Structure formats: C-alpha cells, structure tokens
Amino acid sequence: MRVRFLKSLKLRWLLLGGAALTVALGSAIFTVGNTAQAGATLEERKLPMRFSWVACDPNCGWVSAVGIVTGDTPKDFEDFARGRDLNGATLVLDSSGGSVNDAITLGRRFRGLNMRTTVGISSRGRGQGDQATVAPQAYCESMCVFLLLGGTTRYVPDAAHVRVHQIWMGDRADDAKAASYSAQDLMIVERDIGRLAKYTFDMGGAGDLLSLALNVPPWEDLHELSRNELRQTNLVTTDLVAEVLPQVKSGTPVAAVSAKGQERFADKAEQGQPAQKSTRTAEALSSSTVAATPAQ
C-alpha cells in the first residue's frame, strides 16, 4: 500500500492569453504562455509523470517533469537519465503530486545528482530560431513540493502556484469524514509521516513545511504558500532565475511583487484574534489521519 498526497478538490487554473510578460531575458526565458498551452498542460498534469529534455541554444537545456508521481516514476526517471549527464541539471516541475514514498525516492535521486529545481511549463521552439521557454504560471502541489525541495538550488517564479495538503488514503478521499480507518491504516500513516519528516530535514527544509501541509484536511482546498512562507519553509533558496537556468543573463533579478495568498500561520495576536486551542484528540484528527492508496 502507498500513501500519497491528494490533488486539489478544486483546481484553479490561470489561463492567460497572449505572449505578454517577460520576466527574464536570455536564450531561455520565463514568459507568459497562451491559453492553448495552459489547457494542454492541464491534461498532461492528470497523467503519470513524464520526463523530457528541453534543448535551447547554444548548448543548453533542462529537464521537464510533468504529471503525477506513481510507483513507476522512479524507474521511468532512471530510464530517462540513462546515457545522459544530468549532474547539476535543472528540473522544471509542473505536477499535482502523487505517491509519498515514490516521491521521496525521486527527490533523493535529484539531490544525489545535484539537480536544481524550479516550477514552470516548458515549451520548445516550434520553428527554426524560436527559443525554448519556461512559462511561470505552473502548479507544484502536494508531493511535488517535496520534489522541489530535492533541488540543491530552488527558485519559484512569482506567477507559480506552490500548494500543500495533508496525505490521505486515495480510496477514501472522496468522502474522507465518513470513511472508516483501521489501526493498520494509522500505522502506515505515522510511518510515512516519519519518513517524510526525515526527508524534509535531510533536504534542508524547515518543520514549518510539514506543519503547513499536515494542517490542511482533504475536504479543504490546498493552501497556497505565500512568498514569505516559501522562504520560511526553505523551499526557495534564490530569487535569481539565472541560478537555476544559467543560460539566462547572470544577475537578472526577479521582479518584486506583493505577497500572494494568506499565510496560514500568521500571528493571531497581531491579527487581534485569540489563538486556537486544541486537545490531543483534535490534533490527531486534524493532522495525523491519512490513508493509503491500493498498490499500483
């Protein structure tokens, strides 16, 4: 049995028309894509994760990883990596998450290769002389966030959506409150939370990342991390796109924008609200009850 992070119950997609905003200049650029591209990527994100090499000129490129992590994904990556020198390469993620243990395996493999990670939708040039691009309005959700953490250098563009959620049994996710859970289920949950915690700290992540994820039950929408939370959880290590895509002019800064999303753990006293009290039982129900999908 495998435990996985759920996809959002209500995916909210940003479908923008026209080639407009350019965030960074160079042979590979972060740029706003068109509606057709975003729609196609939506469909790809529902499928098992697929890896591909996106080449750009001159002599540059990155790995595109699109889709959900399954039990086959670690092997699929090994098949893709065979014969390629991926040490220090950049991985561009667009994923809804997937299997917890398989994502941990994959994330450790990325770290072993000293890969750099970012979030985006990769696009190859369609004609001679056209540039390969990375559109920033992509999604990295649930276990994808922990894949992102596997990078030695991690960059998240302002237009990307990084969202977290509890892990749960996929076969009981549709009505999680009404489902029943056995002692074996709880054992699997606690075991895999422990594995995820160790992985998080091994990769240099903060405990705040686990707290944010494990406090969002499956009947709520995923929590989107604000810019402050991305830094607080150590998911972001740089604000320079050039540090993950070196073919972009070095020193090109990311455009500053106001923080998006609402911080889940904002100081209650500063907001004039009383801090929430919780009993041990309530904590167990809200942050520890997860479930496993059938073996794939």
Side-chain angles (χ1 to χ4, degrees):
M1 301 179 76
R2 296 187 179 92
V3 181
R4 68 179 179 87
F5 266 88
L6 285 174
K7 295 184 292 180
S8 172
L9 299 179
K10 297 178 181 178
L11 291 176
R12 296 177 180 178
W13 293 92
L14 182 63
L15 305 180
L16 299 177
L21 176 66
T22 298
V23 180
L25 300 176
S27 46
I29 58 176
F30 274 95
T31 179
V32 171
N34 57 37
T35 303
Q37 179 191 37
T41 303
L42 170 60
E43 294 303 318
E44 290 179 9
R45 291 180 69 247
K46 297 178 180 179
L47 301 175
M49 183 167 282
R50 180 175 56 87
F51 301 97
S52 61
W53 179 259
V54 181
C56 58
D57 294 324
N59 301 321
C60 63
W62 61 86
V63 178
S64 170
V66 183
I68 297 170
V69 177
T70 70
D72 295 327
T73 306
K75 180 182 180 301
D76 290 343
F77 178 75
E78 295 303 329
D79 291 341
F80 168 79
R82 191 172 297 115
R84 290 185 168 96
D85 181 9
L86 297 181
N87 188 62
T90 291
L91 181 79
V92 180
L93 291 158
D94 184 31
S95 170
S96 297
S99 167
V100 171
N101 290 320
D102 294 302
I104 289 174
T105 298
L106 201 57
R108 290 193 183 279
R109 182 70 170 112
F110 296 157
R111 179 59 62 91
L113 288 169
N114 298 308
M115 298 186 79
R116 294 166 288 186
T117 52
T118 186
V119 181
I121 301 173
S122 299
S123 177
R124 296 173 176 80
R126 296 184 177 181
Q128 186 174 4
D130 289 347
Q131 296 175 336
T133 61
V134 180
Q137 64 275 18
Y139 286 78
C140 185
E141 299 175 322
S142 301
M143 280 311 295
C144 174
V145 176
F146 293 88
L147 293 181
L148 176 66
L149 190 61
T152 54
T153 303
R154 305 181 288 275
Y155 167 75
V156 175
D158 291 323
H161 303 273
V162 178
R163 311 202 299 179
V164 293
H165 204 275
Q166 280 184 5
I167 54 179
W168 209 268
M169 287 185 177
D171 58 351
R172 277 158 281 189
D174 290 340
D175 196 354
K177 288 184 178 180
S180 60
Y181 305 93
S182 68
Q184 178 74 9
D185 294 334
L186 296 179
M187 181 278 294
I188 292 171
V189 167
E190 293 186 8
R191 179 201 65 190
D192 287 349
I193 287 177
R195 289 175 176 172
L196 192 60
K198 185 179 188 306
Y199 170 84
T200 298
F201 297 129
D202 286 349
M203 297 298 107
D208 289 332
L209 178 57
L210 290 168
S211 295
L212 285 165
L214 296 176
N215 274 273
V216 184
W219 47 86
E220 292 183 9
D221 287 342
L222 278 75
H223 171 68
E224 181 160 339
L225 300 183
S226 68
R227 297 307 301 184
N228 285 338
E229 287 170 338
L230 287 170
R231 296 184 181 93
Q232 178 184 347
T233 57
N234 289 342
L235 274 171
V236 166
T237 64
T238 180
D239 286 332
L240 299 176
V241 63
E243 292 192 17
V244 293
L245 291 172
Q247 57 270 31
V248 178
K249 284 185 179 180
S250 63
T252 304
V254 176
V257 298
S258 58
K260 64 181 179 181
Q262 180 179 0
E263 295 186 12
R264 191 172 182 88
F265 294 153
D267 192 320
K268 297 294 184 182
E270 290 181 2
Q271 295 180 6
Q273 300 177 10
Q276 292 183 348
K277 297 181 179 180
S278 59
T279 65
R280 181 172 301 178
T281 301
E283 289 172 354
L285 289 174
S286 64
S287 62
S288 297
T289 306
V290 292
T293 56
Q296 297 178 357

PDB file of all heavy atoms in Angstrom, residues 1 3 169 172 181-191 290-292:
ATOM      1  N   MET A   1       0.842  -1.194   0.000  1.00  0.00           N
ATOM      2  CA  MET A   1       0.000   0.000   0.000  1.00  0.00           C
ATOM      3  C   MET A   1       0.876   1.243   0.000  1.00  0.00           C
ATOM      4  O   MET A   1       1.932   1.282   0.606  1.00  0.00           O
ATOM      5  CB  MET A   1      -0.896   0.019   1.231  1.00  0.00           C
ATOM      6  CG  MET A   1      -1.810  -1.201   1.327  1.00  0.00           C
ATOM      7  SD  MET A   1      -2.811  -1.148   2.812  1.00  0.00           S
ATOM      8  CE  MET A   1      -3.999   0.064   2.335  1.00  0.00           C
ATOM      9  N   VAL A   3       1.021   5.590   0.422  1.00  0.00           N
ATOM     10  CA  VAL A   3       0.364   6.813   0.859  1.00  0.00           C
ATOM     11  C   VAL A   3       0.713   7.904  -0.123  1.00  0.00           C
ATOM     12  O   VAL A   3       1.832   8.000  -0.577  1.00  0.00           O
ATOM     13  CB  VAL A   3       0.848   7.213   2.268  1.00  0.00           C
ATOM     14  CG1 VAL A   3       0.150   8.482   2.723  1.00  0.00           C
ATOM     15  CG2 VAL A   3       0.563   6.088   3.245  1.00  0.00           C
ATOM     16  N   MET A 169      -5.625   8.454   2.342  1.00  0.00           N
ATOM     17  CA  MET A 169      -5.855   7.256   1.533  1.00  0.00           C
ATOM     18  C   MET A 169      -6.707   7.601   0.320  1.00  0.00           C
ATOM     19  O   MET A 169      -7.836   8.047   0.447  1.00  0.00           O
ATOM     20  CB  MET A 169      -6.547   6.176   2.361  1.00  0.00           C
ATOM     21  CG  MET A 169      -5.634   5.535   3.382  1.00  0.00           C
ATOM     22  SD  MET A 169      -6.442   4.161   4.228  1.00  0.00           S
ATOM     23  CE  MET A 169      -5.091   3.595   5.261  1.00  0.00           C
ATOM     24  N   ARG A 172     -10.338   6.490  -0.131  1.00  0.00           N
ATOM     25  CA  ARG A 172     -11.358   7.041   0.754  1.00  0.00           C
ATOM     26  C   ARG A 172     -11.364   8.567   0.755  1.00  0.00           C
ATOM     27  O   ARG A 172     -11.890   9.203   1.657  1.00  0.00           O
ATOM     28  CB  ARG A 172     -11.133   6.521   2.182  1.00  0.00           C
ATOM     29  CG  ARG A 172     -11.741   5.150   2.408  1.00  0.00           C
ATOM     30  CD  ARG A 172     -11.102   4.427   3.556  1.00  0.00           C
ATOM     31  NE  ARG A 172      -9.824   3.847   3.156  1.00  0.00           N
ATOM     32  CZ  ARG A 172      -9.129   3.013   3.919  1.00  0.00           C
ATOM     33  NH1 ARG A 172      -9.565   2.694   5.123  1.00  0.00           N
ATOM     34  NH2 ARG A 172      -7.990   2.499   3.494  1.00  0.00           N
ATOM     35  N   TYR A 181     -11.293   3.888   9.331  1.00  0.00           N
ATOM     36  CA  TYR A 181      -9.859   3.652   9.239  1.00  0.00           C
ATOM     37  C   TYR A 181      -9.445   2.654  10.314  1.00  0.00           C
ATOM     38  O   TYR A 181      -9.883   2.737  11.466  1.00  0.00           O
ATOM     39  CB  TYR A 181      -9.089   4.961   9.401  1.00  0.00           C
ATOM     40  CG  TYR A 181      -9.536   6.017   8.411  1.00  0.00           C
ATOM     41  CD1 TYR A 181     -10.532   6.932   8.755  1.00  0.00           C
ATOM     42  CD2 TYR A 181      -8.996   6.073   7.133  1.00  0.00           C
ATOM     43  CE1 TYR A 181     -10.966   7.880   7.845  1.00  0.00           C
ATOM     44  CE2 TYR A 181      -9.424   7.016   6.219  1.00  0.00           C
ATOM     45  CZ  TYR A 181     -10.407   7.918   6.575  1.00  0.00           C
ATOM     46  OH  TYR A 181     -10.841   8.844   5.672  1.00  0.00           O
ATOM     47  N   SER A 182      -8.589   1.744   9.940  1.00  0.00           N
ATOM     48  CA  SER A 182      -8.149   0.707  10.867  1.00  0.00           C
ATOM     49  C   SER A 182      -6.848   1.109  11.554  1.00  0.00           C
ATOM     50  O   SER A 182      -6.188   2.083  11.165  1.00  0.00           O
ATOM     51  CB  SER A 182      -7.926  -0.598  10.103  1.00  0.00           C
ATOM     52  OG  SER A 182      -6.815  -0.463   9.224  1.00  0.00           O
ATOM     53  N   ALA A 183      -6.458   0.334  12.562  1.00  0.00           N
ATOM     54  CA  ALA A 183      -5.183   0.557  13.228  1.00  0.00           C
ATOM     55  C   ALA A 183      -4.029   0.398  12.238  1.00  0.00           C
ATOM     56  O   ALA A 183      -3.022   1.109  12.317  1.00  0.00           O
ATOM     57  CB  ALA A 183      -5.021  -0.411  14.389  1.00  0.00           C
ATOM     58  N   GLN A 184      -4.166  -0.513  11.272  1.00  0.00           N
ATOM     59  CA  GLN A 184      -3.142  -0.702  10.249  1.00  0.00           C
ATOM     60  C   GLN A 184      -2.996   0.559   9.406  1.00  0.00           C
ATOM     61  O   GLN A 184      -1.875   0.961   9.058  1.00  0.00           O
ATOM     62  CB  GLN A 184      -3.516  -1.893   9.356  1.00  0.00           C
ATOM     63  CG  GLN A 184      -2.538  -2.162   8.215  1.00  0.00           C
ATOM     64  CD  GLN A 184      -1.242  -2.787   8.673  1.00  0.00           C
ATOM     65  OE1 GLN A 184      -1.130  -3.186   9.837  1.00  0.00           O
ATOM     66  NE2 GLN A 184      -0.263  -2.864   7.788  1.00  0.00           N
ATOM     67  N   ASP A 185      -4.139   1.197   9.087  1.00  0.00           N
ATOM     68  CA  ASP A 185      -4.093   2.441   8.325  1.00  0.00           C
ATOM     69  C   ASP A 185      -3.310   3.508   9.076  1.00  0.00           C
ATOM     70  O   ASP A 185      -2.462   4.203   8.504  1.00  0.00           O
ATOM     71  CB  ASP A 185      -5.517   2.956   8.057  1.00  0.00           C
ATOM     72  CG  ASP A 185      -6.309   2.030   7.152  1.00  0.00           C
ATOM     73  OD1 ASP A 185      -5.683   1.308   6.349  1.00  0.00           O
ATOM     74  OD2 ASP A 185      -7.551   2.035   7.259  1.00  0.00           O
ATOM     75  N   LEU A 186      -3.599   3.641  10.370  1.00  0.00           N
ATOM     76  CA  LEU A 186      -2.916   4.653  11.169  1.00  0.00           C
ATOM     77  C   LEU A 186      -1.431   4.351  11.290  1.00  0.00           C
ATOM     78  O   LEU A 186      -0.603   5.270  11.314  1.00  0.00           O
ATOM     79  CB  LEU A 186      -3.555   4.739  12.556  1.00  0.00           C
ATOM     80  CG  LEU A 186      -5.012   5.203  12.591  1.00  0.00           C
ATOM     81  CD1 LEU A 186      -5.527   5.230  14.032  1.00  0.00           C
ATOM     82  CD2 LEU A 186      -5.166   6.569  11.945  1.00  0.00           C
ATOM     83  N   MET A 187      -1.073   3.077  11.373  1.00  0.00           N
ATOM     84  CA  MET A 187       0.337   2.705  11.428  1.00  0.00           C
ATOM     85  C   MET A 187       1.055   3.149  10.162  1.00  0.00           C
ATOM     86  O   MET A 187       2.152   3.709  10.203  1.00  0.00           O
ATOM     87  CB  MET A 187       0.470   1.186  11.613  1.00  0.00           C
ATOM     88  CG  MET A 187       1.915   0.680  11.714  1.00  0.00           C
ATOM     89  SD  MET A 187       2.753   0.466  10.115  1.00  0.00           S
ATOM     90  CE  MET A 187       1.785  -0.879   9.417  1.00  0.00           C
ATOM     91  N   ILE A 188       0.414   2.914   9.001  1.00  0.00           N
ATOM     92  CA  ILE A 188       1.006   3.309   7.722  1.00  0.00           C
ATOM     93  C   ILE A 188       1.175   4.822   7.662  1.00  0.00           C
ATOM     94  O   ILE A 188       2.205   5.339   7.223  1.00  0.00           O
ATOM     95  CB  ILE A 188       0.125   2.816   6.554  1.00  0.00           C
ATOM     96  CG1 ILE A 188       0.169   1.292   6.477  1.00  0.00           C
ATOM     97  CG2 ILE A 188       0.585   3.425   5.236  1.00  0.00           C
ATOM     98  CD1 ILE A 188      -0.824   0.709   5.497  1.00  0.00           C
ATOM     99  N   VAL A 189       0.156   5.538   8.139  1.00  0.00           N
ATOM    100  CA  VAL A 189       0.188   6.998   8.136  1.00  0.00           C
ATOM    101  C   VAL A 189       1.357   7.521   8.966  1.00  0.00           C
ATOM    102  O   VAL A 189       2.157   8.337   8.520  1.00  0.00           O
ATOM    103  CB  VAL A 189      -1.120   7.548   8.711  1.00  0.00           C
ATOM    104  CG1 VAL A 189      -0.976   9.027   9.014  1.00  0.00           C
ATOM    105  CG2 VAL A 189      -2.253   7.342   7.727  1.00  0.00           C
ATOM    106  N   GLU A 190       1.453   7.046  10.194  1.00  0.00           N
ATOM    107  CA  GLU A 190       2.502   7.536  11.086  1.00  0.00           C
ATOM    108  C   GLU A 190       3.891   7.168  10.563  1.00  0.00           C
ATOM    109  O   GLU A 190       4.835   7.957  10.657  1.00  0.00           O
ATOM    110  CB  GLU A 190       2.284   6.981  12.493  1.00  0.00           C
ATOM    111  CG  GLU A 190       1.019   7.527  13.154  1.00  0.00           C
ATOM    112  CD  GLU A 190       0.880   7.082  14.599  1.00  0.00           C
ATOM    113  OE1 GLU A 190       1.845   6.468  15.123  1.00  0.00           O
ATOM    114  OE2 GLU A 190      -0.168   7.349  15.192  1.00  0.00           O
ATOM    115  N   ARG A 191       4.022   5.985   9.994  1.00  0.00           N
ATOM    116  CA  ARG A 191       5.295   5.573   9.413  1.00  0.00           C
ATOM    117  C   ARG A 191       5.713   6.511   8.293  1.00  0.00           C
ATOM    118  O   ARG A 191       6.855   6.971   8.228  1.00  0.00           O
ATOM    119  CB  ARG A 191       5.183   4.146   8.887  1.00  0.00           C
ATOM    120  CG  ARG A 191       6.460   3.606   8.234  1.00  0.00           C
ATOM    121  CD  ARG A 191       6.137   2.441   7.323  1.00  0.00           C
ATOM    122  NE  ARG A 191       5.311   2.851   6.191  1.00  0.00           N
ATOM    123  CZ  ARG A 191       4.724   1.984   5.355  1.00  0.00           C
ATOM    124  NH1 ARG A 191       4.828   0.684   5.558  1.00  0.00           N
ATOM    125  NH2 ARG A 191       4.004   2.426   4.335  1.00  0.00           N
ATOM    126  N   VAL A 290      -4.351   9.979   7.922  1.00  0.00           N
ATOM    127  CA  VAL A 290      -4.103   9.920   6.497  1.00  0.00           C
ATOM    128  C   VAL A 290      -4.365   8.502   6.038  1.00  0.00           C
ATOM    129  O   VAL A 290      -4.587   7.627   6.837  1.00  0.00           O
ATOM    130  CB  VAL A 290      -2.649  10.343   6.168  1.00  0.00           C
ATOM    131  CG1 VAL A 290      -2.422  11.788   6.428  1.00  0.00           C
ATOM    132  CG2 VAL A 290      -1.684   9.503   6.928  1.00  0.00           C
ATOM    133  N   ALA A 291      -4.307   8.266   4.738  1.00  0.00           N
ATOM    134  CA  ALA A 291      -4.617   6.929   4.294  1.00  0.00           C
ATOM    135  C   ALA A 291      -3.826   6.546   3.072  1.00  0.00           C
ATOM    136  O   ALA A 291      -3.217   7.359   2.426  1.00  0.00           O
ATOM    137  CB  ALA A 291      -6.102   6.827   4.000  1.00  0.00           C
ATOM    138  N   ALA A 292      -3.877   5.277   2.732  1.00  0.00           N
ATOM    139  CA  ALA A 292      -3.042   4.759   1.655  1.00  0.00           C
ATOM    140  C   ALA A 292      -3.885   4.343   0.471  1.00  0.00           C
ATOM    141  O   ALA A 292      -4.998   3.889   0.624  1.00  0.00           O
ATOM    142  CB  ALA A 292      -2.256   3.557   2.156  1.00  0.00           C
TER     143      ALA A 292
END
